[in-house]
Amino acid sequence: MIKTVIVEDDLMVASINQQFALKTPGVNIAATFHNGRDALSFLSKNKIDLLLLDLYMPEFTGLELLSALRQAGNNIDVIMITAANDAGHINDALHLGIVDYLV
């Protein structure tokens, strides 16, 4: 089972991401968060295999969450799912070790 966490501030998009992920055999949604701070708290205490992460979130962005995870030594696989398609954000995310970037 691939224990997965979704971090997306838009409730409708989070629901769509969850529905899509659950169509993949072996994926289990362990939790969904609508802000990076709550997700960071959960991820610091729980072993998760995959993080589906939005970039733009108020107060604590996806890149800030990803950076905090990497600084803490958490090498969780991350797929960034976002509307952001500029080279700067993509490069930043790639340097932080994401597996894929879906626009």
Side-chain angles (χ1 to χ4, degrees):
M1 221 20 112
I2 301 170
K3 290 175 62 177
T4 304
V5 167
I6 297 171
V7 183
E8 168 63 64
D9 65 316
D10 184 311
L11 299 177
M12 184 177 71
V13 174
S15 176
I16 291 168
N17 289 346
Q18 180 171 345
Q19 290 171 28
F20 182 74
L22 290 174
K23 289 182 180 180
T24 305
V27 170
N28 175 41
I29 304 299
T32 299
F33 297 96
H34 303 294
N35 67 73
R37 291 194 196 283
D38 289 345
L40 181 60
S41 176
F42 178 86
L43 293 167
S44 68
K45 299 172 188 156
N46 296 277
K47 172 77 172 110
I48 299 299
D49 302 307
L50 178 64
L51 177 61
L52 302 179
L53 180 62
D54 183 25
L55 176 64
Y56 294 124
M57 293 181 289
E59 297 180 31
F60 199 71
T61 69
L63 284 177
E64 290 170 325
L65 171 59
L66 185 54
S67 181
L69 289 170
R70 297 307 191 228
Q71 288 176 6
N74 188 329
N75 292 320
I76 186 173
D77 287 338
V78 177
I79 298 174
M80 185 143 306
I81 303 174
T82 182
N85 62 358
D86 62 279
H89 285 115
I90 294 170
N91 284 333
D92 290 344
L94 288 170
H95 282 109
L96 288 168
I98 64 167
V99 173
D100 205 348
Y101 193 102
L102 303 176
V103 179

